[in-house]
Amino acid sequence: MVKVAGVRFKAAGKVYFFDPAELELFAGDNVIVETARGVEYGTLSADIMEVEEEEIVAPLKPILRKADENDAKRHEENLKKKDRALQLCQEKIDKHGLEMKLVDVEYTFDNSKVIFYFTADGRVDFRELVKDLAGVFKMRIELRQIGVRDETKMMGGIGSCGRELCCHAWLPDFEPVSIKMAKVQNLSLNPIKISGICGRLMCCLQYENETYCHLKKGMPDVGERISTRDGKAVVTDVNILENKIKTRLILEEKSEDKPEKLSTEYYVYGKEEIQRAPNKRNQEKNFPKKSGKKKGGFGGDADISAMSEEELKQQAALLDLE
C-alpha cells in the first residue's frame, strides 16, 4: 500500500495522486504541487489515504507545500488575468483569419506557461498565431484543441432537467454512453430529447443503466409469445420499473386460412408469473446442427477411422481439385 493525496485543480476536475511526504494535510486544504506542465495550485479532494501500488503511476510527484495566503493571492491574480488574455488571443485569431473557437485560458501557477483551449472542425495551422501570442505574453504558449464535451464542461450551463450540468458541477470524468442505454430505459430515441447541450448523448443515461439492466433480466420483449396462467399471450407493453407485462391472450392460433385472433382485453402479469419460450440459442444447445463438409477437411458424415489408406489418398485428391 502507498500513501497518496488526491488533488483537484478545478471544482469538477479529475483527481490526480501526489506524494504527501510528511505533510499533515486534510480534505479541502490548498496545496502547491509539481506537475508535468509546471508548478500548480490545487485542492485536496479527500484526506490522505492508502491505495494499491497498481492504482498509481510511479514515481509520484511530490506536494511541495501547503498553500499560504501569498499563494492564494497569486492564484486569484492568475484567474483575474483570464479575461484580458482571452480578449488578446481572440484579436490575434481574427487577425490571422483562423477558423477556431476560443473556449478558455489557464495560467500555470508560476506563470511559466499560458494554455489556450479551443474547438475547431478540423486541423488548424496556428504556428503564426503562437509567435504573435509569445511576443505579447512573453512566456511559453500552448494551444490545445478540445472536443465539444470538454467545451461544455468548461463553459457550464443548465441542463434539460433544470439543474446545473453534471460535467461542470461535479462529474470528474466522462463515462461511455451509448444509444443502447436509451433503448434499455424505454426512452424516446429522438436525438433532441436524449442529447445534452454539447450535442452528444446525455451523461445521465449512464447513471441508472445498471439498475435497468438488472430489472430487465427475464423480462420479455414487445411482440414476444409467452405462457401465462390464463393461456398463451402476446406481449404488447413492458414496464420495467413496475414489473408489469401488458399482454393480449391468443384466442386462436394462426393457421393457413385464418389469422391469429387476440383478445380485446388486456391482461397484466409480473415477471415471475409468466413463462418464456426457449430461445434459439437454447434450442441449438439441445439440438446441435450436423457438421457439414468443411474446406480443408472431410465430409461430416465420413468416418475417417474406417477408411483405408487408398481411400484417404483419393479423398485428399478430390479436395485438392476443389
Side-chain angles (χ1 to χ4, degrees):
M1 303 288 283
V2 181
K3 277 190 176 182
V4 298
V7 178
R8 275 199 178 106
F9 301 103
K10 292 182 179 180
K14 186 177 179 180
V15 176
Y16 296 90
F17 288 150
F18 290 86
D19 181 5
E22 301 299 324
L23 295 174
E24 188 176 351
L25 301 168
F26 302 96
D29 286 346
N30 296 320
V31 293
I32 305 300
V33 297
E34 182 185 350
T35 69
R37 66 182 193 181
V39 178
E40 291 285 7
Y41 181 96
T43 305
L44 255 68
S45 60
D47 293 339
I48 294 174
M49 55 187 173
E50 292 187 346
V51 299
E52 297 290 342
E53 292 186 14
E54 294 77 16
E55 296 182 31
I56 64 172
V57 179
L60 289 177
K61 289 188 175 293
I63 292 180
L64 301 179
R65 64 180 185 275
K66 186 175 179 179
D68 55 23
E69 291 183 7
N70 291 331
D71 294 326
K73 196 173 183 180
R74 186 173 186 177
H75 178 64
E76 288 296 325
E77 289 174 356
N78 287 339
L79 294 178
K80 290 177 181 178
K81 291 190 291 185
K82 289 177 59 174
D83 291 339
R84 179 58 178 164
L86 285 171
Q87 182 183 347
L88 289 172
C89 185
Q90 188 61 56
E91 290 175 1
K92 298 297 182 183
I93 290 173
D94 295 338
K95 173 186 172 183
H96 292 281
L98 298 176
E99 294 184 2
M100 53 192 289
K101 178 184 176 184
L102 193 61
V103 177
D104 198 10
V105 61
E106 288 181 1
Y107 282 87
T108 57
F109 178 76
D110 56 1
N111 282 288
S112 62
K113 182 194 293 186
V114 58
I115 305 167
F116 294 95
Y117 297 92
F118 71 94
T119 60
D121 293 333
R123 297 186 65 180
V124 180
D125 184 1
F126 47 70
R127 287 174 293 184
E128 294 300 321
L129 174 63
V130 171
K131 290 178 182 178
D132 281 1
L133 293 174
V136 173
F137 291 96
K138 308 297 182 184
M139 63 179 71
R140 291 176 60 194
I141 305 295
E142 181 178 336
L143 270 76
R144 189 174 297 177
Q145 187 170 354
I146 60 175
V148 289
R149 296 183 80 186
D150 294 302
E151 177 189 4
T152 306
K153 182 178 179 68
M154 288 183 176
M155 301 296 290
I158 303 299
S160 57
C161 58
R163 299 173 65 92
E164 187 178 7
L165 295 178
C166 296
C167 59
H168 182 74
W170 61 269
L171 191 65
D173 290 314
F174 291 113
E175 297 288 341
V177 185
S178 67
I179 195 69
K180 183 180 179 182
M181 295 178 181
K183 292 179 180 178
V184 169
Q185 297 172 44
N186 289 330
L187 298 175
S188 169
L189 298 185
N190 185 339
I192 298 175
K193 294 184 177 181
I194 59 176
S195 297
I197 293 177
C198 60
R200 301 290 188 267
L201 292 173
M202 292 189 294
C203 295
C204 53
L205 292 177
Q206 196 268 344
Y207 299 163
E208 298 177 354
N209 185 62
E210 187 176 346
T211 301
Y212 272 90
C213 288
H214 175 72
L215 295 176
K216 194 176 182 181
K217 286 182 179 178
M219 295 289 274
D221 299 320
V222 174
E224 185 176 332
R225 269 65 176 163
I226 59 174
S227 297
T228 71
R229 59 176 177 269
D230 301 308
K232 291 185 177 181
V234 177
V235 179
T236 58
D237 190 31
V238 176
N239 190 320
I240 298 174
L241 295 179
E242 295 182 6
N243 186 27
K244 290 182 179 180
I245 303 166
K246 193 175 182 181
T247 67
R248 292 174 67 184
L249 295 179
I250 300 176
L251 302 179
E252 290 185 14
E253 296 281 355
K254 182 180 179 180
S255 61
E256 293 182 359
D257 54 345
K258 290 183 179 180
E260 187 177 60
K261 187 176 180 182
L262 303 177
S263 64
T264 54
E265 296 179 348
Y266 291 95
Y267 296 78
V268 180
Y269 303 95
K271 179 170 59 177
E272 64 284 348
E273 298 176 312
I274 66 159
Q275 185 176 359
R276 302 177 68 186
N279 56 32
K280 290 184 178 181
R281 287 185 179 179
N282 292 335
Q283 291 174 0
E284 288 175 358
K285 288 179 182 177
N286 296 330
F287 305 101
K289 295 180 180 179
K290 290 184 179 180
S291 57
K293 189 174 181 180
K294 297 181 180 179
K295 187 176 180 181
F298 299 103
D301 297 329
D303 186 358
I304 300 174
S305 61
M307 287 185 179
S308 65
E309 186 177 350
E310 186 63 31
E311 289 173 329
L312 286 171
K313 288 181 180 179
Q314 291 177 359
Q315 189 77 355
L318 287 171
L319 291 172
D320 289 338
L321 289 174
E322 293 175 359

